[in-house]
Amino acid sequence: MTLLIIGASGFLGRELARQATASGHVVTATFVRNPGRLAGVKWLPLDLRNHENIISVLDEVHPRVVINAASRKADWATTAEGAIRVAMAATSRGARLVHVSSDAVFSGAQVYYDEAATPDPITPYGAAKAAAETAIRLLAPAAVVARTSLIIGDGDSEHETLVHELSDGRRDGALFTDDVRCPVHVSDLAAAILELASADHAGIRHVAGPDAVSRHELGLLIARRDGLDPATLPAGRRADTGVTGSLDVRLDSRATQHSLRTRVRGAREFLTGEGADSAR
């Protein structure tokens, strides 16, 4: 299968490209500044703010599947408009589309969110992601919109880097005890997305871990795994800081999990190696 992975120089994108190549797919991957170094992958520059650039890349690659894992946080031109341009271009060429979205589309007022929940973002990033989702569902009803949560790896994610920097005093701040998410391991997430891309799935899909943990609890789990002193991690409450963002957002991924062969582990399992009961 010929895949175009947009945003492949990012954390999730790299793992998608690695797994897709290992599975024997023909992979073209895009980057903004620096191409990756994964063998067997064709790398092309792509700026999602440039409509002609999007058209040129798709016409050169002729992908059967397009996976858009790109995001530039609150940059509306990339995160919203760019994603919509990709959807239009992919659909007009008969390519299957998987768009990676975020739990940032929710405010946290409802706490538990299944695939039927209506987005109510409260941040610019969440608003951009929600706008992209809405347009894609209308323009490309056969596409998959895969919402996920905090993405963790084996030491190389931004969340793990933050924990290490807070622990050794290289960064000020705190890990919030009232900011709750459902973290997912990057390898599980990539495998699930590739399965969604190759099977007969469509619409909103939630791909997050079954464990709801606070950012502080997540930090403690990472610290223990990595041999850091948990006492070095400062705790705080987002509600006391005035920092904008949702508090408790828990993606209910059970419906999607039941339809997948890929098992998406919870944070307590992939960070400790032990199984954990669902907190739902």
Side-chain angles (χ1 to χ4, degrees), residues 45-108:
L46 176 61
D47 184 347
L48 290 183
R49 298 170 297 181
N50 186 319
H51 179 68
E52 290 74 20
N53 194 184
I54 295 171
I55 297 300
S56 174
V57 167
L58 265 73
D59 285 346
E60 177 177 345
V61 176
H62 298 292
R64 180 179 173 187
V65 173
V66 176
I67 300 176
N68 184 6
S71 180
R72 214 179 262 185
K73 294 302 181 182
D75 180 357
W76 188 270
T78 297
T79 305
E81 294 174 358
I84 296 167
R85 292 190 185 101
V86 167
M88 294 172 65
T91 301
S92 68
R93 287 158 177 76
R96 179 165 172 75
L97 173 67
V98 178
H99 173 77
V100 181
S101 192
S102 167
D103 58 11
V105 301
F106 298 120
S107 69

Side-chain angles (χ1 to χ4, degrees), residues 182-244:
C182 295
V184 62
H185 195 280
V186 66
S187 64
D188 296 347
L189 176 58
I193 288 173
L194 290 171
E195 185 177 344
L196 289 168
S198 62
D200 187 20
H201 296 274
I204 300 292
R205 299 288 176 168
H206 284 182
V207 188
D211 296 342
V213 299
S214 71
R215 290 183 186 263
H216 184 257
E217 182 182 355
L218 179 64
L220 295 178
L221 290 168
I222 292 169
R224 289 170 184 139
R225 181 200 66 185
D226 295 348
L228 306 176
D229 181 359
T232 62
L233 297 180
R237 295 177 70 250
R238 181 189 285 272
D240 296 334
T241 66
V243 176
T244 303

Side-chain angles (χ1 to χ4, degrees), residues 96-156:
R96 179 165 172 75
L97 173 67
V98 178
H99 173 77
V100 181
S101 192
S102 167
D103 58 11
V105 301
F106 298 120
S107 69
Q110 186 175 316
V111 180
Y112 294 96
Y113 294 89
D114 63 16
E115 285 91 343
T118 301
D120 60 341
I122 59 174
T123 64
Y125 173 61
K129 280 294 192 182
E133 283 189 11
T134 300
I136 290 168
R137 292 180 67 190
L138 294 173
L139 295 169
V144 170
V145 174
R147 292 186 186 129
T148 192
S149 190
L150 303 182
I151 307 175
I152 309 300
D154 296 316
D156 48 353

